[in-house]
Structures are given as structure tokens and as C-alpha cells.
Amino acid sequence: QVRLVESGGGLVQSGQSLRLSCKASGFIFRLNTMGWYRQTPGKQRELVATITSGHSTNYTDSVRGRFTISRDNVRSFVYLQMNSLKPEGTAVYYCNLSRTSTNYWGQGTQVTVSS
């Protein structure tokens, strides 16, 4: 069964950095596109970044140039390096595996950026 477990969130000041990690298991990790989403209370869950099996990446405009998604296919990890964090980046961040019928999510990790 699919398992996604995020870690690495915390409280930082504006301009500082964090790296989030997602440990994946229960599927053939190297063959799947993975993503990071984020959500704040009262708002839709927002796509932040994706990375394909071929290591191609996409980012939402608000994080492009500051965030970097990467993957380790040997250890089945997805990472999100977040630099130059802004208060608008405060959210619960979720690791994602998207299938035709089902989206799989981790438990989320809280990121709080103070101004």
C-alpha cells in the first residue's frame, strides 16, 4: 500500500530556508511523477511543484526561482528545497502521488514563516 511521510517543516523568519522530505513506499517510486502541494485554512490545496520520472520539473509561478524539487530514486525520497521564504509560504505542505482514480497524500508538515 502507498505510504507518503513528510518531514522537515518548522518555524523560520522571512528570507530563511527549509528543506522538506517525503519518504515514499508501496509503489514503484522511480516510475511515477511526484508532487508537493500546500494548503492554508479556508483555501484550496495548491500545487507547488512536480517532478517526473525523467526528472523534469514544474513550479507554480509564486515559487519559481526560489524552490527546488528533487528526487532520490535509490532511497525513494522527494525533496522540496525552499529558499527565500515569505510569509505567504506559511501552509501545511503535502507530498503527492497522483493516479488516474486516486490521489495519495502524506500527513503533511507545517511550515510557518514569520514577517
Side-chain angles (χ1 to χ4, degrees):
Q1 56 274 30
V2 172
R3 289 190 66 196
L4 304 170
V5 182
E6 302 96 334
S7 62
L11 173 63
V12 298
Q13 293 183 327
S14 295
Q16 295 185 330
S17 299
L18 282 174
R19 189 170 89 145
L20 307 183
S21 299
C22 172
K23 173 61 180 177
S25 61
F27 62 101
I28 306 175
F29 178 82
R30 64 183 176 86
L31 301 181
N32 284 270
T33 294
M34 302 296 298
W36 284 97
Y37 286 68
R38 64 187 178 188
Q39 187 170 29
T40 56
K43 297 182 67 177
Q44 295 283 330
R45 191 166 294 184
E46 173 192 24
L47 176 65
V48 177
T50 60
I51 183 165
T52 70
S53 61
H55 295 263
S56 295
T57 59
N58 282 289
Y59 300 91
T60 192
D61 288 344
S62 63
V63 309
R64 188 175 294 109
R66 299 185 297 114
F67 289 13
T68 303
I69 188 171
S70 61
R71 67 192 297 158
D72 181 342
N73 287 338
V74 175
R75 300 176 63 232
S76 296
F77 271 86
V78 188
Y79 304 101
L80 186 67
Q81 178 67 45
M82 304 185 294
N83 296 331
S84 301
L85 279 162
K86 303 175 181 179
E88 305 94 276
T90 295
V92 178
Y93 284 72
Y94 296 92
C95 187
N96 170 256
L97 166 66
S98 183
R99 298 285 185 82
T100 300
S101 300
T102 309
N103 274 291
Y104 297 90
W105 307 97
Q107 84 287 352
T109 185
Q110 176 71 47
V111 173
T112 302
V113 186
S114 63
S115 59

